[in-house]
Amino acid sequence: MKLIRFGQPGQERPGVLINDKRYDVSGFIPDFNESFFETDGLEKLKAVVEEHGTNLPEVAEDERVGCPVARPSKLLCIGLNYADHAKETGAPLPPEPVIFMKSTTAVVGPFDDVIIPKNSVKTDWEVELAVVIGKKASYVDEADAADHIAGYMLHNDISEREFQLERNGTWDKGKGCDTFAPLGPFMATPDEVADPDALRLWLNVNGKKMQDGNTSNFIFNVPFVISYVSQFMTLLPGDIISTGTPAGVGLGFNPPVYLKPGDVMELGIDGLGTQKQTTVAYGA
């Protein structure tokens, strides 16, 4: 199944994508949130889709698309998880996964504007595969990690490099600004994704290809990441883990290239759809 949420910010309703058409399931499912995933919501949704299918109410084509998952308890990210990206940033290969968090207030829809923060001069892009946790995970063995996956989706891990690397603190400073986590357009359940470790992912800025990688180049694959993170904190249903970005970020160019107001980012992952965002100045 492919799960969507649609409507204005803060008023999104749940839906599904069937043969590229959007359908409203809010008459049966309140939302795709922690409670939904915790109470076998995916099985209930599957039954709704099997019974009603394309007889469900259609969603208007001009409806805004939001993040496919209602605000999670945590949005975690894995840094430097592709060898080529670590090399371009001058960082050594990590012996263990680098973990940081993005604020849940950074979450926006896949086609919403990205706001360049006040006083920012180094806002950057990062196309990533995100994993949605389907059930509570604490001290999970790698062999059992797949049982805790609800689905996958596309994420643009927007980053302000000065805030991240030059402001005397953790990476979180440059990662959690408002609009810095466009997610979606849909969450695909695991049966829709043949091999999460063999997905092409790409990103263009103003029509120019910047990133073109493959998750086959992960340093730490998805099951390992889930198991690893669960050794340090409990993952709750609906939590999101973003798995890192391949080479081609603005920081890696010589000289670096950063986003300006009016720039357009387009990005995608095999089988997980595409996103498009325009950057706008803070306060514009």
Side-chain angles (χ1 to χ4, degrees):
M1 292 183 294
K2 295 178 179 178
L3 284 61
I4 63 169
R5 292 172 69 249
F6 61 93
Q8 293 305 302
Q11 301 175 1
E12 292 95 343
R13 291 184 288 165
V16 291
L17 195 62
I18 303 174
N19 297 326
D20 296 325
K21 285 192 175 182
R22 302 184 294 175
Y23 296 91
D24 184 349
V25 297
S26 61
F28 303 90
I29 304 289
D31 207 351
F32 300 143
N33 53 19
E34 181 178 340
S35 175
F36 167 81
F37 291 107
E38 191 172 39
T39 57
D40 288 326
L42 285 172
E43 287 303 313
K44 296 172 186 174
L45 178 63
K46 183 179 179 181
V48 167
V49 172
E50 287 178 348
E51 181 177 354
H52 300 281
T54 54
N55 291 320
L56 290 162
E58 284 195 41
V59 177
E61 290 187 7
D62 60 354
E63 277 275 18
R64 170 187 172 268
V65 179
C67 172
V69 177
R71 185 178 293 177
S73 82
K74 294 184 288 297
L75 174 49
L76 297 152
C77 298
I78 306 301
L80 304 174
N81 199 23
Y82 290 75
D84 57 358
H85 175 53
K87 181 179 179 180
E88 73 173 347
T89 62
L93 293 184
E96 297 182 48
V98 174
I99 300 174
F100 62 89
M101 291 189 175
K102 293 178 82 85
S103 169
T104 56
T105 53
V107 173
V108 290
F111 308 109
D112 292 341
D113 289 343
V114 166
I115 299 170
I116 296 178
K118 188 176 182 179
N119 301 318
S120 165
V121 293
K122 297 182 179 181
T123 295
D124 204 347
W125 56 83
E126 294 189 8
V127 59
E128 305 199 1
L129 172 68
V131 182
V132 181
I133 298 299
K135 66 179 183 180
K136 189 175 179 180
S138 180
Y139 298 107
V140 173
D141 289 336
E142 185 177 349
D144 299 324
D147 296 338
H148 296 265
I149 297 173
Y152 302 92
M153 57 186 172
L154 174 61
H155 175 214
N156 192 356
D157 175 21
I158 306 294
S159 310
E160 213 295 342
R161 302 303 188 186
E162 181 184 4
F163 298 176
Q164 176 189 355
L165 303 171
E166 303 171 34
R167 294 293 296 273
N168 193 37
T170 64
W171 285 13
D172 306 62
K173 283 183 182 179
K175 294 287 191 171
C177 304
D178 291 353
T179 73
F180 269 26
L183 287 153
F186 55 83
M187 185 201 87
T189 50
D191 59 293
E192 299 272 357
V193 180
D195 184 357
D197 293 322
L199 299 175
R200 178 177 176 247
L201 62 173
W202 56 271
L203 183 144
N204 297 342
V205 178
N206 299 329
K208 181 180 179 181
K209 183 64 60 64
M210 296 298 191
Q211 294 184 273
D212 193 351
N214 196 291
T215 59
S216 61
N217 293 318
F218 278 147
I219 298 172
F220 307 107
N221 67 17
V222 170
F224 181 89
V225 163
I226 292 172
S227 174
Y228 184 85
V229 174
S230 78
Q231 309 304 308
F232 301 97
M233 65 193 80
T234 296
L235 297 168
L236 297 177
D239 281 356
I240 298 168
I241 302 177
S242 199
T243 56
T245 198
V249 301
L251 175 65
F253 287 85
N254 185 16
V257 178
Y258 295 116
L259 294 164
K260 308 177 300 298
D263 285 344
V264 177
M265 294 174 285
E266 296 175 276
L267 56 150
I269 298 181
D270 288 348
L272 295 176
T274 61
Q275 297 185 0
K276 183 176 182 179
Q277 299 105 29
T278 300
T279 56
V280 298
Y282 175 84

